[in-house]
Amino acid sequence: MSVNGTFEALRGRLAEITDLQRTGGLLFWDQRTKMPPAGAEARAETLATIGRIAHEKFVDAELGRLLDELRPYEEDLEPETFEASLIRVARRDYEKATRVPPELTADIRRAGAMGLKAWQKARAEKDFSQLRPALERNLELKHRYVECFPPGEETYDTLLDDYEQGMKTAEVRAVFDQLKRELLPLVREAGVPDPAPPIELPRAGQERFARAVLEQLGFDDESWRLDETAHPFMSTAGHMDIRLTTRWESGMNWLFGAVHEFGHGVYEHDIDPSLARTPLGTGVSLGLHESQSRTWENLVGRSRAFWRFFYPKLQKAFPEEFAALGEDDFYASVNRLEPSLIRVDADEVTYNFHIIARFELEQELIDGRLEVADMPAAFNERLEEYLGITPPNDALGVLQDMHWAAGSMGYFPTYSLGNVMSVQIFERAQAELPELDAQFEQGEFSQLRAWFRDNLYVHGRKFTPQETLEKASGARLDAGPYVRYLKSKYAG
Ligand code: ZN
């Protein structure tokens, strides 16, 4: 076969695998937004089959043979070209995937599905003991998984690499230690106030207003959807088919949640279309993905300039609730530092301590310093230490997130890494686009979006997360800008 023929054969196989993964994603979206509850059992089987076929196609020895054959061709190419990037990234994914025996991969998937089922019941009944055996099983499988890879400096490095390729535990720890040092005094100062009762807004009005805001940011009915779900997420069935979800609820999180998912969606939507149906055609890492959802949610969506444009519209949409409330008071109410129990509802500052607590517990678990049985108490102690509050029961404590039950360890730190990266990148955009605030006040967001597209989104997975961050922000991972941003917003 000619080199071109070999490359096209590789590309064709990868396109099919991507199609299968998209199909799985679409079934997952349907499960969380449309499927009647009794469909769960059949759906679990369908998803398992699709996932298994995609995995088998990917670890197929023929794919490895094509990658080997393309090695001399790749070495002659410029590393930034589409061809070189595709071969490099596919090889890295292939080498990682083929280290894990297929039986172990199947065991891990099955245990995750069982864990999720146990979690739902344990959480509903506020009873950690019902989840304990599933977590012990997940942990045992994690150890077997880690053993498939050459030992890193720390066991946790191998777990982290699945979500943030190339990132080391020690780097994350250094960043988180800085957040602790600089931000814990702010949290202590805030104390634990009596939370104000959340505002209740009519559901239909929420949806109308959320859609109006998203349209102003760049959502359109040609390639986007917005649906309701219990645990909001973004899913993409193709770069022109972006599905956002939110939850209609009290307070204002229905809107911030929708804008958060918009940030994930716009990243996927604005990736170079020529990368579609390849492993390059998606966001580069969870951390960088989260940097974008947090940018649109917090750096844009909670900014003064944003609300100068949208607050009069919010007052008009909900006159009973907001006519008497001034813009200053509203702005303060959506930017309040207030230690609370639930990670997903936390403010910009305390959010990081929910993450740091989980990051530390995960390392203790994988290093054998913490037993699964002792997790509820350890979780509560850590929350008390950082935020000054103790969960009244396990549903509001160790059982609040599904990640561990589903078998994800090493995922949590990417949320706070996203926060840190978001400000690094946004400050670069602000420096190059000095009119941003004035534009936001006019409801104009297209220049910012175009900047993100050209400097970040367009690359997809062509470069490593670290290289992608450097291209967008001009620097390596650095907590400095994020700490300064939070201090100037929340101190005193
Ligand atoms: Zn997110």
Side-chain angles (χ1 to χ4, degrees):
M1 215 189 293
S2 67
V3 165
N4 274 340
T6 310
F7 181 78
E8 285 312 316
L10 173 73
R11 191 179 173 161
R13 280 174 177 258
L14 294 173
E16 278 186 4
I17 294 161
T18 310
D19 291 344
L20 286 166
Q21 289 164 341
R22 295 288 199 212
T23 308
L26 199 49
L27 287 167
F28 177 79
W29 171 84
D30 173 84
Q31 177 174 23
R32 306 270 294 267
T33 56
K34 306 284 170 197
M35 188 188 78
E41 219 161 298
R43 183 57 49 89
E45 299 290 349
T46 316
L47 275 169
T49 299
I50 298 269
R52 183 174 46 76
I53 295 173
H55 183 75
E56 282 169 2
K57 276 181 165 290
F58 187 62
V59 297
D60 188 338
E62 175 60 13
L63 202 134
R65 204 192 55 76
L66 293 172
L67 285 167
D68 278 344
E69 217 177 295
L70 286 165
R71 214 178 272 274
Y73 170 62
E74 182 199 354
E75 280 160 9
D76 284 344
L77 293 167
E78 290 296 324
E80 300 213 351
T81 58
F82 167 74
E83 288 81 3
S85 302
L86 184 67
I87 298 167
R88 181 177 63 242
V89 169
R91 177 177 296 120
R92 199 176 56 220
D93 291 349
Y94 180 80
E95 282 172 357
K96 244 186 122 162
T98 50
R99 279 181 175 275
V100 186
E103 314 79 62
L104 179 56
T105 302
D107 283 351
I108 289 172
R109 271 168 207 256
R110 206 170 307 118
M114 303 278 285
L116 269 184
K117 221 171 138 185
W119 170 74
Q120 276 167 344
K121 191 154 176 290
R123 194 171 71 140
E125 295 174 17
K126 304 185 179 65
D127 176 14
F128 178 79
S129 69
Q130 295 190 40
L131 180 61
R132 182 181 154 184
L135 288 185
E136 284 169 344
R137 172 78 176 144
N138 282 347
L139 188 60
E140 178 203 327
L141 292 170
K142 280 287 165 231
H143 279 290
R144 284 174 51 201
Y145 179 78
V146 167
E147 282 162 15
C148 300
F149 295 88
E153 265 172 40
E154 302 185 44
T155 313
Y156 193 82
D157 286 350
T158 305
L159 305 180
L160 189 58
D161 194 79
D162 283 352
Y163 306 103
E164 203 64 28
Q165 184 228 325
M167 182 74 71
K168 298 290 174 241
T169 313
E171 285 177 82
V172 180
R173 193 179 295 121
V175 164
F176 286 2
D177 283 348
Q178 189 177 349
L179 298 186
K180 282 202 247 183
R181 223 169 32 242
E182 306 261 14
L183 301 177
L184 269 181
L186 285 186
V187 177
R188 301 268 146 78
E189 212 174 288
V192 183
D194 279 335
I199 200 149
E200 297 291 340
L201 301 171
R203 185 208 173 285
Q206 290 181 24
E207 181 162 2
R208 246 193 325 272
F209 192 77
R211 282 182 186 280
V213 169
L214 292 174
E215 278 167 21
Q216 202 77 31
L217 299 181
F219 174 108
D220 66 69
D221 290 334
E222 273 303 298
S223 30
W224 300 70
R225 285 189 61 89
L226 174 67
D227 294 270
E228 187 184 7
T229 193
H231 302 282
F233 64 100
M234 184 279 305
S235 174
T236 159
H239 74 278
M240 296 298 275
D241 183 350
I242 307 291
R243 290 142 191 252
L244 311 182
T245 61
T246 192
R247 180 169 56 198
W248 312 118
E249 59 185 332
S250 43
M252 287 299 293
N253 275 349
W254 50 274
L255 179 65
F256 292 114
V259 174
H260 178 102
E261 301 307 336
F262 171 82
H264 285 302
V266 73
Y267 187 167
E268 292 289 323
H269 184 277
D270 286 356
I271 289 171
D272 184 342
S274 72
L275 306 181
R277 297 187 73 223
T278 80
L280 305 179
T282 189
V284 68
S285 72
L286 288 189
L288 274 145
H289 234 297
E290 195 67 7
S291 82
Q292 292 314 293
S293 55
R294 302 294 275 185
T295 292
W296 289 93
E297 175 192 353
N298 291 330
L299 308 182
V300 178
R302 285 182 209 266
S303 72
R304 196 59 199 232
F306 180 94
W307 285 108
R308 196 141 288 156
F309 179 76
F310 281 114
Y311 192 59
K313 295 172 174 55
L314 187 73
Q315 287 181 305
K316 222 171 135 193
F318 304 102
E320 244 174 76
E321 292 82 1
F322 291 119
L325 185 70
E327 188 192 302
D328 286 348
D329 290 335
F330 175 78
Y331 175 77
S333 77
V334 296
N335 286 290
R336 187 171 288 139
L337 199 174
E338 194 168 44
S340 62
L341 281 174
I342 304 298
R343 173 183 66 85
V344 296
D345 295 334
D347 62 75
E348 284 181 278
V349 180
T350 60
Y351 186 90
N352 300 295
F353 294 97
H354 289 273
I355 296 304
I356 293 172
R358 288 158 174 77
F359 170 67
E360 293 174 347
L361 294 177
E362 286 185 339
Q363 290 169 74
E364 290 170 21
L365 275 173
I366 199 77
D367 293 344
R369 287 176 282 141
L370 174 66
E371 298 288 325
V372 169
D374 299 328
M375 283 174 76
F379 186 95
N380 292 354
E381 276 165 28
R382 206 58 58 105
L383 227 57
E384 175 65 41
E385 182 190 341
Y386 291 146
L387 299 178
I389 38 180
T390 302
N393 59 58
D394 290 343
L396 295 172
V398 71
L399 294 173
Q400 65 177 270
D401 295 306
M402 65 177 82
H403 302 58
W404 291 330
S408 301
M409 276 181 87
Y411 187 128
F412 279 121
T414 66
Y415 291 115
S416 276
L417 292 174
N419 287 340
V420 166
M421 294 190 254
S422 73
V423 178
Q424 286 188 262
I425 300 169
F426 192 65
E427 283 191 351
R428 180 91 175 276
Q430 283 176 313
E432 291 184 15
L433 306 172
E435 305 295 315
L436 275 186
D437 269 356
Q439 291 173 3
F440 293 177
E441 287 181 15
Q442 302 297 317
E444 171 55 46
F445 301 95
S446 60
Q447 263 208 19
L448 178 65
R449 178 174 167 181
W451 189 94
F452 280 130
R453 183 191 62 217
D454 297 343
N455 290 280
L456 172 60
Y457 304 159
V458 68
H459 302 311
R461 285 182 78 215
K462 276 178 81 172
F463 308 103
T464 66
Q466 184 64 62
E467 289 163 350
T468 308
L469 174 65
E470 286 191 49
K471 278 179 187 292
S473 73
R476 294 181 65 85
L477 185 68
D478 174 12
Y482 180 56
V483 165
R484 279 196 297 278
Y485 156 77
L486 287 179
K487 279 187 168 172
S488 79
K489 187 165 174 179
Y490 291 97

